């Protein structure tokens, strides 16, 4: 079945530094979604990428979908303490449920 | 968007007992999903709850352990049966916000279960 790998598992940065998390799928994805989960909270949708090579931006966040639609990345420019949380990528499986990567936990030190 | 009310938000249960988690959505949805998230881990799909038919379980999860009900298009329950400490986890229900698969998912606040 589809496996979604995500690295790194943890990242600790100083406020103002950049951050990137990478997601790789064992199979071609129809789309990929990104979620953020704050400590003690539930996952919240950030964005969906559908097209090969697609790049989308949300303020300081840049999302990319690979040309082969098997990998994706999330880049945060100049992190802030409000960026703290775990970032998950997720592919959609054949049953329309989300297949989550293991997540990258981001800690930002002021 | 969809607003999901999940309860209880947390519980501490004795081993060998069962707990039923409820998930109420503010709109009708075709499919509801139940996930488990162990401490510090990712979300693992338990099953898909379909209205009018039996739930579809993922590998490693069985109906006897996690029976699911889906009496209508806005409500579902997940029961964790004959609990052991290994069942301590966060359980989340989820729905799709629109037409699958190209739509975002919404999650309930989760049920934090501790089995002692």
């Amino acid at each position: 079945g589809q496996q979604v790998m995500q690295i790194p598992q943890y990242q600790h940065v100083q406020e103002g530094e950049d951050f990137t998390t990478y997601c790789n799928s064992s199979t071609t994805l129809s789309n990929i979604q990104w979620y953020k989960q704050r400590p003690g909270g539930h996952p919240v949708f950030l964005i969906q990428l559908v097209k090969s090579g697609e790049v989308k931006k949300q303020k300081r966040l840049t999302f990319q979908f690979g040309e082969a639609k098997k990998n994706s990345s999330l880049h945060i420019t100049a992190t802030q303490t409000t960026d703290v949380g775990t970032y998950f990528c997720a592919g959609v499986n054949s049953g329309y449920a989300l297949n989550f990567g293991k997540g990258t936990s981001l800690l930002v030190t002021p | 968007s969809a607003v999901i009310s999940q309860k209880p938000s947390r519980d501490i249960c004795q081993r060998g007992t069962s707990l039923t988690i409820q998930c109420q959505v503010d709109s009708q949805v075709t499919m509801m999903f139940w996930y488990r998230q162990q401490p510090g881990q990712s979300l693992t799909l338990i099953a898909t709850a379909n209205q009018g038919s039996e739930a579809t379980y993922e590998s490693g999860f069985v109906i006897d352990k996690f029976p699911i009900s889906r009496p209508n298009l806005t409500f579902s329950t997940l029961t964790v049966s004959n609990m052991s400490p290994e069942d301590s986890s966060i359980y989340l229900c989820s729905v799709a916000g629109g037409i699958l698969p190209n739509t975002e998912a919404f999650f309930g606040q989760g049920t934090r279960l501790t089995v002692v």
Side-chain angles (χ1 to χ4, degrees), chain B residues 2-115:
Chain B
V3 177
I4 302 173
S5 174
Q6 187 176 337
K7 58 182 181 181
S9 59
R10 59 178 65 235
D11 208 342
I12 300 174
C13 301
Q14 297 289 325
R15 67 179 67 198
T17 63
S18 297
L19 175 71
T20 296
I21 303 167
Q22 299 180 3
C23 183
Q24 178 75 53
V25 190
D26 68 342
S27 58
Q28 293 186 341
V29 292
T30 305
M31 302 170 87
M32 296 176 72
F33 307 97
W34 287 97
Y35 288 86
R36 181 174 73 182
Q37 186 175 29
Q38 295 178 311
Q41 302 297 313
S42 185
L43 287 80
T44 301
L45 181 66
I46 297 172
T48 301
N50 308 302
Q51 197 271 334
S53 63
E54 282 195 2
T56 304
Y57 289 84
E58 297 299 304
S59 176
F61 298 96
V62 295
I63 188 171
D64 290 346
K65 177 67 176 177
F66 297 101
I68 287 172
S69 77
R70 183 80 198 275
N72 56 54
L73 291 175
T74 64
F75 187 79
S76 178
T77 67
L78 170 74
T79 299
V80 186
S81 303
N82 188 25
M83 289 183 285
S84 67
E86 291 71 33
D87 295 320
S88 297
S89 189
I90 299 171
Y91 293 85
L92 296 133
C93 69
S94 173
V95 302
I99 299 174
L100 296 166
N102 295 320
T103 185
E104 66 187 275
F106 296 93
F107 288 85
Q109 297 292 333
T111 297
R112 187 178 297 270
L113 170 63
T114 302
V115 183

Side-chain angles (χ1 to χ4, degrees), chain A residues 33-85:
Chain A
Q33 300 185 2
W34 286 89
Y35 290 78
K36 177 182 179 180
Q37 185 175 27
R38 294 182 185 275
H42 60 280
V44 175
F45 176 80
L46 292 176
I47 209 162
Q48 175 175 267
L49 304 173
V50 179
K51 299 177 182 178
S52 170
E54 189 169 16
V55 178
K56 286 189 176 180
K57 293 189 176 184
Q58 290 180 348
K59 299 183 180 179
R60 294 178 295 104
L61 278 61
T62 301
F63 303 84
Q64 293 187 328
F65 201 10
E67 293 291 338
K69 300 184 73 173
K70 297 181 71 173
N71 59 76
S72 181
S73 65
L74 159 60
H75 179 81
I76 302 178
T77 303
T79 54
Q80 300 175 358
T81 55
T82 53
D83 295 326
V84 166

